[in-house]
Amino acid sequence: MKSWLPHLVSELDLGKQPVLAQTLNGTETRAAILDQSGKVMAGDFHGTGVFKGAKKLIGDMLPGKPLVAVSADKKRFLLEKQSGEESLLFWKEALEGQEESWAAWLLTMIFSNNGKDLKVVRHILAAQGPWTTPRLPDGVEEWSLMPLNAGLGRLYIFGDDDIALETAALGGRIGLKVTLVTLKTRQAEAESFQNVGSFNVISFARFTDLNSDAFALLGLKTGVFVLVTTKDNAGFMEELEKIKLGWMGLAGDALPIGSNPVKIFPVAQTSAQMALGLITEMLGSS
């Protein structure tokens, strides 16, 4: 099922009044665009196709008059007809946050006037660094915090040594979305570390093949973590410095001689210990 947000923007751009349905239970955060019969046009509700009585509800709805409905499987949803230039500008900004940041969220809060008219307030939280945690104000009756794109944090590692492999595995184990960029000669060994923690492996013949185009394909954006362990980094460090990174670290052969790679864990000796120190340091920087 295609993404709901680009579809919503496209519909508004055409002057239509699409219906946005959004979960409100706080744990399962989903959204979809519905047609006038309540059928899902874009988005993914895992089998939730049509709301009970949705056709009549949607037919009676007015833009700016949201309501809470219950689906056939007893889930609570916020239903809203979207329309007008103000809505279009807001959702375009949300789409921009989705496309340009490593992580973005949509925070939706619902208030009511003596249990009658609902008021919906939304914020776009496009991360400029990892672990952004919005605070909910008092008086919110229901809310939804919906991720617009991947994960709480993304880590890119450029290297082919044991520190790179150990850090990729440890980062994946604690829940970071990790991409290890390594040499083809180490790809098979790198993949053997995936039983420790899940991470992606992308291999190049040479690190000198990395450039701005390669970074764009890899998805490097504002706020990502980056660890470099290869000494063959002269060709791409300048491109990395153009990105506003959430954290940047050097280890292994990428470090100047005599430098200590890990400030938090200075007594680290093995690659695994250094990986632990590096992960601790990058998370502590946020």
Side-chain angles (χ1 to χ4, degrees):
M1 184 71 74
K2 56 189 173 182
S3 174
W4 65 271
L5 184 50
H7 185 81
L8 175 58
V9 171
S10 177
E11 291 286 288
L12 285 169
D13 228 358
L14 293 172
K16 298 182 180 180
Q17 294 184 344
V19 177
L20 172 63
Q22 185 177 334
T23 53
L24 288 175
N25 59 11
T27 55
E28 184 186 17
T29 52
R30 304 191 185 283
I33 308 303
L34 309 181
D35 65 11
Q36 297 303 307
S37 69
K39 185 178 179 180
V40 176
M41 302 296 292
D44 184 8
F45 278 171
H46 288 291
T48 300
V50 180
F51 293 97
K52 185 177 180 180
K55 186 173 183 178
K56 185 178 187 310
L57 285 174
I58 292 171
D60 293 341
M61 286 178 65
L62 296 173
K65 295 290 184 180
L67 58 87
V68 173
V70 180
S71 69
D73 53 0
K74 306 302 181 183
K75 291 185 173 67
R76 292 172 65 79
F77 289 89
L78 177 66
L79 290 176
E80 301 169 273
K81 272 189 180 177
Q82 305 290 322
S83 68
E85 187 66 22
E86 187 175 345
S87 290
L88 178 59
L89 290 175
F90 177 85
W91 292 116
K92 278 187 173 179
E93 185 181 349
L95 184 59
E96 182 179 337
Q98 183 185 56
E99 292 174 342
E100 294 186 2
S101 293
W102 64 269
W105 297 268
L106 175 67
L107 175 60
T108 302
M109 298 172 286
I110 301 178
F111 304 80
S112 68
N113 179 18
N114 296 322
K116 295 181 180 180
D117 294 337
L118 294 182
K119 180 181 180 182
V120 178
V121 177
R122 284 193 174 92
H123 296 288
I124 302 159
L125 306 167
Q128 298 302 308
W131 320 113
T132 301
T133 306
R135 296 182 61 186
L136 296 174
D138 294 334
V140 176
E141 297 179 9
E142 295 189 85
W143 62 278
S144 168
L145 180 60
M146 180 175 300
L148 296 179
N149 58 13
L152 286 174
R154 294 197 66 167
L155 167 61
Y156 289 85
I157 301 172
F158 298 89
D160 63 327
D161 59 358
D162 289 345
I163 296 176
L165 274 57
E166 294 276 9
T167 307
L170 181 59
R173 189 172 184 85
I174 67 168
L176 293 173
K177 188 177 178 67
V178 181
T179 299
L180 172 65
V181 182
T182 191
L183 296 180
K184 289 182 178 178
T185 54
R186 295 300 301 272
Q187 181 169 349
E189 186 175 354
E191 289 172 350
S192 71
F193 277 75
Q194 291 175 332
N195 62 347
V196 176
S198 176
F199 60 94
N200 294 325
V201 181
I202 297 177
S203 61
F204 287 81
R206 302 171 298 276
F207 285 113
T208 52
D209 293 338
L210 290 169
N211 52 32
S212 58
D213 291 338
F215 284 163
L217 290 173
L218 289 169
L220 267 79
K221 297 179 180 179
T222 298
V224 300
F225 297 149
V226 171
L227 173 66
V228 178
T229 70
T230 175
K231 65 180 179 181
D232 298 324
N233 58 52
F236 64 81
M237 286 298 288
E238 185 176 343
E239 293 298 330
L240 274 181
E241 290 168 358
K242 295 177 182 178
I243 303 170
K244 187 178 179 181
L245 301 174
W247 179 87
M248 171 75 182
L250 301 177
D253 290 337
L255 274 174
I257 295 175
S259 298
N260 189 336
V262 184
K263 298 181 179 67
I264 290 177
F265 195 176
V267 297
Q269 298 293 323
T270 68
S271 297
Q273 290 172 341
M274 290 181 183
L276 178 61
L278 289 164
I279 290 289
T280 304
E281 185 173 324
M282 68 178 71
L283 297 184
S285 71
S286 61

